């Protein structure tokens, strides 16, 4: 997730912008830059890598000036590099941006047809060109930004600086955060509170479809349609560390709550509701490739492996293509056979997992066509895959993967629908139902997140358990495995995830009155069978925690019940995962473990 800072005031601002960006480093970034008005012109400095590189550049080539914008970039369109770092410039205009412009392909084509030449691979540069073009028609900076915003679809927080307006910055937001700060002799804007806490604790939050004109006189806020907005300041009482976590106690909890947004961003620009199709260009599998697939082989480790298991289920049930899933860490130690027509899908949050990388290289050595499903732009798996589908979950800081997992689930749903529609195995009617439901998932996730306090209460009863069992069938089986992995990795409680149908084949022996058994019971064709498993557990005094869509589903059997919104059966893991994550989080927190950095684990496993 990119970080933005903007400053209009009476102090030299280049260093001040860097200091603000440092406070946004926790958001994750791969390059950084500033643009400062030096009284005559806009001076831009950008550098790939850490802020220190930008700092060194500014020491070597300082810039004077008291109006400027700065940015840390987390790549979404185009690899991390100096040329893709913000600010992006067109003529007299410099722009920084956080978010994703959905219609960037069409807008870029239109701009190129008008003779505009692009210097980067980013969607952001479009904004600079659009503002510059509007200024060229005689529009004021404010009017030029307004005209530009009307053409954008997607999510954005932007800050725009023009050579013609040395003491003015226009900022705007839609679905990406932006906060304004009124300090002594200065006005600032930033994508998050920590960047401005050194200046003031009095802030104003910009809302969707609003923009603000920042000048030394203050901040004038209005809607994109020009209606003036009066907004009272809010006093921030968080410490710097609390502010970095958005007020949450841990990054993991923050990331759990960021999931609706992560799914919105992962779906953004990738579905055509009216045609019940996915946008092939966005998914890394061209239609000709999709039509030639005979089998899909999914490779991944850990949490990503559970997303891959879900992918197999959807590719078989929705696209009707044979699919297998393999632990990437095992793949090259068998004698794996790759055949003509195999599409290999490598799923990885970091894109750097050594085992997944090695498995994918082995598959490519045997001639496989590889689709990488990764969250980190420019990562090794993204670079060497034949096609890439990025999950736009934003950087994940907690070692335990949460928002990246559900973003992977959404990506799997997109791939399955895309393959099904392209090959004619998924009807338009069913695709339409699935796609419309997919769009509703973020709202349903928000409703599931409202169970947080209830789940925290349940966790109190479970905090001293030494073991736990998680059960699910069909599409809920990977969720059960993921629930068990989450609990064990952050709370150190021994937990097992099983397919419900396996109970009689062994795990039933574990059940006694001390064993909590988490049962996934969404309303789907496996519900009846799962209820039989619940009966088996109850008959042996096991303590059932039921995740259900209807509170009556397992009322007489469950000791604890968590009700989550119903969705299409194929998509239920996107919702039922949330109580699993919250439960693990609260058990771990109450046990006092290091939730964000569990012992013995690393975020990115670059060794075998
Ligand atoms: C997730 O909570 C774990 N930390 C771990 O299992 C992780 O999913 C695994 O190491 C794979 O990582 P990747 O997605 O970056 O490839």
């Amino acid at each position: 997730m990119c970080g933005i800072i903007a400053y209009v005031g009476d102090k030299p601002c280049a260093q001040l912008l860097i200091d603000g960006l440092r406070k946004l480093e926790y958001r994750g970034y791969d390059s950084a830059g500033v643009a400062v008005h030096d009284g005559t012109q806009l001076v831009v400095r950008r550098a790939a890598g850490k802020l220190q590189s930008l700092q060194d550049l500014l020491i070597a080539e300082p810039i004077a000036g008291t109006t400027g914008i700065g940015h840390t970039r987390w790549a979404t369109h185009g690899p991390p590099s100096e040329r893709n770092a913000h600010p992006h410039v067109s003529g007299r205009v410099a722009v920084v941006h956080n978010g994703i412009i959905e219609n960037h392909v069409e807008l870029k084509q239109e701009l190129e047809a008008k003779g505009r030449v692009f210097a980067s691979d980013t969607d952001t540069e479009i904004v600079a060109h659009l503002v510059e073009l509007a200024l060229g028609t005689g529009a004021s900076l404010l009017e030029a930004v307004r005209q530009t915003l009307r053409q954008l679809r997607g999510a954005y927080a932007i800050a725009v600086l023009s050579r013609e307006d040395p003491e003015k910055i226009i900022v705007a937001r839609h679905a990406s955060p932006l906060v304004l700060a009124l300090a002594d002799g200065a006005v600032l804007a930033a994508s998050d509170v920590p960047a401005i806490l050194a200046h003031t604790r009095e802030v104003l939050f910009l809302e969707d479809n609003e923009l603000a004109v920042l000048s030394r006189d203050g901040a004038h806020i209005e809607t994109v349609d020009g209606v003036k907005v009066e907004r009272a300041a809010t006093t921030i009482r968080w410490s710097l560390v609390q502010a970095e976590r958005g007020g949450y106690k841990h990054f993991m909890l923050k990331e759990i709550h960021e999931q609706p947004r992560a799914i919105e961003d992962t779906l953004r620009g990738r579905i055509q509701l009216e045609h019940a199709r996915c946008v092939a260009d966005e998914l890394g599998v061209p239609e000709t490739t999709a039509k030639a697939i005979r089998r899909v082989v999914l490779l991944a480790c850990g949490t990503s492996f559970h997303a891959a298991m879900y992918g197999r289920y959807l590719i078989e049930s929705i696209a009707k293509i044979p699919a297998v899933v393999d632990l990437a860490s095992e793949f090259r130690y068998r004698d794996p056979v790759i055949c003509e027509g195999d599409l290999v899908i490598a799923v990885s949050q970091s894109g750097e997992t050594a085992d997944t990388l090695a498995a994918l290289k082995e598959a490519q050595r045997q001639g496989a066509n590889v689709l990488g499903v990764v969250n980190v732009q420019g990562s090794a798996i993204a670079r060497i895959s034949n096609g890439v589908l990025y999950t736009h979950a934003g950087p994940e800081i907690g070692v335990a993967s949460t928002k990246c997992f559900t973003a992977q689930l959404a990506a799997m749903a997109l791939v399955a629908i895309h393959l099904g529609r392209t090959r004619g195995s998924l009807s338009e009617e069913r695709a339409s139902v699935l796609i419309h439901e997919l769009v509703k998932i973020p709202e349903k996730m928000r409703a599931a997140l409202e169970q947080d306090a209830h789940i925290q209460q349940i966790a109190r009863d479970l905090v001293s358990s030494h073991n736990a069992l998680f059960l699910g069938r069909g599409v809920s089986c990977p969720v059960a495995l993921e629930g068990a992995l989450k609990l064990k990795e952050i709370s150190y409680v021994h937990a097992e995830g099983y397919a419900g149908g396996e109970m009689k084949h062994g795990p039933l022996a574990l059940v006694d009155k001390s064993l909590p058994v988490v049962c996934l019971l969404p309303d789907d064709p496996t519900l009846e069978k799962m209820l039989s498993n619940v009966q088996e557990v109850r008959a042996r005094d096991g303590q059932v925690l039921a995740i259900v869509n209807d509170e009556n589903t397992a009322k007489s059997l469950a000791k604890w019940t968590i009700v989550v919104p119903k969705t299409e059966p194929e998509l239920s893991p996107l919702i039922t995962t949330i109580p699993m994550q919250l439960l693990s989080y609260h058990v771990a927190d109450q046990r006092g473990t290091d939730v964000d950095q569990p012992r013995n684990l690393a975020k990115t496993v670059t060794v075998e």
Side-chain angles (χ1 to χ4, degrees):
M1 255 178 299
C2 306
I4 289 177
I5 182 149
Y7 177 91
V8 186
D10 52 9
K11 297 194 180 102
C13 70
Q15 185 57 44
L16 194 146
L17 294 173
I18 301 267
D19 294 343
L21 291 176
R22 276 198 202 290
K23 298 288 187 289
L24 298 176
E25 279 190 298
Y26 68 91
R27 293 164 70 94
Y29 68 103
D30 48 56
S31 54
V34 294
V36 174
H37 202 301
D38 72 357
T40 314
Q41 56 176 340
L42 300 184
V43 186
V44 177
R45 302 270 185 267
R46 307 185 301 192
K50 292 291 154 195
L51 270 171
Q52 194 53 46
S53 309
L54 180 63
Q55 175 87 73
D56 293 345
L57 189 61
L58 280 165
I59 291 169
E61 300 169 31
I63 333 173
T66 61
T67 306
I69 56 181
H71 190 266
T72 45
R73 174 175 189 250
W74 163 264
T76 58
H77 294 77
S81 61
E82 193 269 333
R83 76 189 280 273
N84 287 331
H86 300 209
H88 291 286
V89 176
S90 174
R92 70 205 102 168
V93 175
V95 173
V96 292
H97 163 228
N98 174 18
I100 298 169
I101 308 295
E102 245 173 64
N103 53 338
H104 67 103
V105 176
E106 300 103 276
L107 289 173
K108 187 169 182 180
Q109 280 164 358
E110 285 168 27
L111 285 162
E112 282 174 336
K114 288 181 184 156
R116 308 304 301 187
V117 177
F118 282 76
S120 76
D121 311 313
T122 65
D123 49 347
T124 304
E125 194 183 339
I126 286 152
V127 181
H129 284 293
L130 289 172
V131 176
E132 168 66 18
L133 272 180
L135 286 175
T137 66
S140 66
L141 181 60
L142 175 59
E143 187 47 37
V145 172
R146 268 201 213 114
Q147 286 178 21
T148 300
L149 296 181
R150 288 191 198 112
Q151 297 176 66
L152 303 183
R153 277 205 323 268
Y156 54 79
I158 57 166
V160 184
L161 178 59
S162 162
R163 192 179 59 213
E164 317 299 337
D165 290 277
E167 292 186 358
K168 190 184 283 177
I169 293 172
I170 313 260
V171 295
R173 76 154 263 177
H174 180 73
S176 279
L178 206 61
V179 59
L180 312 182
L182 309 176
D184 235 10
V187 178
L188 295 99
S191 39
D192 210 349
V193 167
I196 46 87
L197 278 185
H199 301 269
T200 178
R201 288 187 166 265
E202 298 300 305
V203 305
L204 297 98
F205 290 96
L206 214 58
E207 299 294 344
D208 282 353
N209 297 315
E210 288 179 354
L211 52 80
V213 182
L214 313 184
S215 68
R216 287 189 191 190
D217 300 332
H220 165 86
I221 305 176
E222 60 179 50
T223 66
V224 175
D225 300 324
V227 179
K228 190 171 186 303
V229 174
E230 297 288 351
R231 172 112 349 111
T234 306
T235 308
I236 297 291
R237 301 191 195 282
W238 296 332
S239 67
L240 183 61
V241 173
Q242 282 172 321
E244 285 182 350
R245 295 174 190 151
Y248 291 102
K249 189 171 176 188
H250 294 99
F251 280 112
M252 181 184 174
L253 188 59
K254 175 172 179 261
E255 287 158 4
I256 289 172
H257 283 269
E258 281 172 352
Q259 289 179 107
R261 182 61 210 293
I263 301 307
E264 278 160 2
D265 284 348
T266 300
L267 300 180
R268 200 178 293 289
R270 291 171 165 173
I271 44 190
Q272 296 172 315
L273 278 177
E274 63 288 7
H275 300 118
R277 294 192 86 93
C278 297
V279 180
D281 288 351
E282 281 283 326
L283 303 191
V285 189
E287 293 195 357
T288 42
T289 310
K291 285 182 178 146
I293 298 169
R294 292 195 192 154
R295 180 178 76 145
V296 176
V297 179
L298 296 115
L299 302 173
C301 294
T303 288
S304 298
F305 175 74
H306 300 145
M309 283 179 78
Y310 171 72
R312 173 187 60 179
Y313 182 97
L314 290 198
I315 287 163
E316 287 178 343
S317 68
I318 293 178
K320 308 289 179 216
I321 305 174
V324 292
V325 60
D326 218 332
L327 282 168
S329 51
E330 280 295 305
F331 188 71
R332 71 196 137 129
Y333 297 114
R334 298 191 282 102
D335 270 330
V337 179
I338 293 293
C339 308
E340 202 187 326
D342 276 355
L343 172 72
V344 168
I345 304 184
V347 187
S348 173
Q349 175 277 130
S350 62
E352 301 288 350
T353 300
D355 283 317
T356 311
L357 200 53
L360 123 59
K361 283 181 181 164
E362 171 58 24
Q364 273 181 334
R365 193 187 63 77
Q366 293 193 37
N369 188 5
V370 176
L371 169 69
V373 176
V374 298
N375 195 51
V376 180
Q377 274 259 350
S379 54
I381 292 176
R383 289 198 306 273
I384 69 168
S385 294
N386 304 82
V388 185
L389 166 50
Y390 285 110
T391 50
H392 291 309
E396 193 174 64
I397 294 163
V399 165
S401 188
T402 52
K403 62 177 181 172
C404 284
F405 174 65
T406 44
Q408 288 168 342
L409 300 183
M412 291 295 132
L414 288 172
V415 169
I417 293 169
H418 169 52
L419 296 182
R421 289 292 282 135
T422 307
R423 296 161 65 93
S425 44
L426 175 65
S427 70
E428 185 173 344
E429 295 68 36
R430 184 69 194 141
S432 177
V433 170
L434 287 171
I435 286 180
H436 277 85
E437 193 57 28
L438 207 45
V439 174
K440 290 185 199 149
I441 289 290
E443 249 349 276
K444 295 189 176 185
M445 283 180 141
R446 287 187 181 99
L449 287 164
E450 283 168 16
Q451 299 290 320
D452 195 2
H454 173 52
I455 296 170
Q456 185 175 19
Q457 196 63 39
I458 295 173
R460 290 206 175 100
D461 294 342
L462 298 179
V463 72
S464 48
S465 297
H466 297 297
N467 299 289
L469 197 57
F470 289 72
L471 299 180
R473 280 180 187 248
V475 83
S476 295
C477 180
V479 184
L481 269 56
E482 175 60 11
L485 177 63
K486 273 305 73 95
L487 186 66
K488 75 182 98 167
E489 73 179 329
I490 60 167
S491 72
Y492 319 145
V493 171
H494 173 235
E496 298 282 350
Y498 266 97
E502 283 295 293
M503 276 300 273
K504 287 195 183 72
H505 303 290
L508 204 50
L510 294 171
V511 179
D512 64 16
K513 65 177 184 331
S514 70
L515 187 74
V517 184
V518 181
C519 297
L520 287 144
L521 303 163
D523 206 349
D524 72 12
T526 70
L527 179 57
E528 218 170 286
K529 298 263 185 229
M530 270 304 296
L531 285 170
S532 304
N533 290 132
V534 176
Q535 298 275 10
E536 287 163 8
V537 172
R538 277 309 298 136
R540 285 147 188 94
D541 290 333
Q543 308 289 301
V544 173
L545 193 174
I547 315 285
V548 293
N549 293 141
D550 178 335
E551 62 178 342
N552 295 316
T553 298
K555 206 168 188 173
S556 58
L557 299 167
K559 179 166 181 188
W560 308 276
T561 302
I562 301 169
V563 183
V564 293
K566 185 175 170 174
T567 178
E568 286 301 306
E570 294 93 326
L571 303 180
S572 68
L574 282 147
I575 308 294
T576 53
T577 295
I578 286 177
M580 306 277 114
Q581 297 167 339
L582 286 170
L583 185 71
S584 307
Y585 170 78
H586 286 299
V587 170
D589 183 39
Q590 288 168 32
R591 287 169 72 95
T593 59
D594 188 347
V595 170
D596 284 333
Q597 309 236 302
R599 67 186 183 198
N600 309 336
L601 299 180
K603 183 71 187 160
T604 306
V605 186
T606 51
V607 290
E608 204 182 324

